[in-house]
Amino acid sequence: EGDRARVLQCLRATREVIEISMPLMAQFAANIMELRAPRPKAQAARILVLSQRARAAFERSDADAWQRLRGCVDQVLAVPVPTIENVGGGGVRCMLAEVPEVTT
């Protein structure tokens, strides 16, 4: 807690910081990930991946945070993962992993 202000200041110098509430966290709104997909002859597309539950919680509880978050990416992909959220206790971010490029 003593370092919170210093850390936020450092982050805000280079990033968009979107703070969310504990109730939003309980709906997996912090369990999201930005992916980059290559595009031919252009920059990579920024894709925000989150659960449908998280998206609904943002839209219902904090429309401002949702609009700011959407403004940081090119596309939003909200997927239904109720079994993972209800039984596994995790969300979309927990289901994703980096897959390294394989060269032969």
Side-chain angles (χ1 to χ4, degrees), residues 17 34 36-38 45-47 61 68 72 77 79 86 89 92 94 100 102-104:
V17 175
E34 179 182 329
R36 295 195 183 254
R46 298 166 303 162
I47 303 168
S61 303
R68 290 175 57 210
C72 295
L77 177 61
V79 295
N86 295 334
V92 170
C94 299
V102 177
T103 58
T104 56

Side-chain angles (χ1 to χ4, degrees), residues 3-66:
D3 288 331
R4 181 179 174 84
R6 183 181 57 80
V7 170
L8 282 172
Q9 180 182 5
C10 289
L11 286 171
R12 286 185 172 126
T14 59
R15 306 253 189 288
E16 170 86 16
V17 175
I18 302 171
E19 296 187 54
I20 63 172
S21 66
M22 291 301 287
L24 273 174
M25 284 188 207
Q27 295 300 310
F28 299 96
N31 202 314
I32 63 179
M33 185 173 278
E34 179 182 329
L35 305 176
R36 295 195 183 254
R39 291 181 177 169
K41 300 180 183 178
Q43 292 184 352
R46 298 166 303 162
I47 303 168
L48 176 67
V49 183
L50 73 166
S51 70
Q52 286 179 342
R53 180 185 296 184
R55 180 180 182 154
F58 268 118
E59 291 174 340
R60 182 178 55 252
S61 303
D62 196 339
D64 178 60
W66 177 241

Side-chain angles (χ1 to χ4, degrees), residues 74-90:
D74 301 311
Q75 181 180 349
V76 173
L77 177 61
V79 295
V81 291
T83 302
I84 298 299
E85 291 172 330
N86 295 334
V87 178

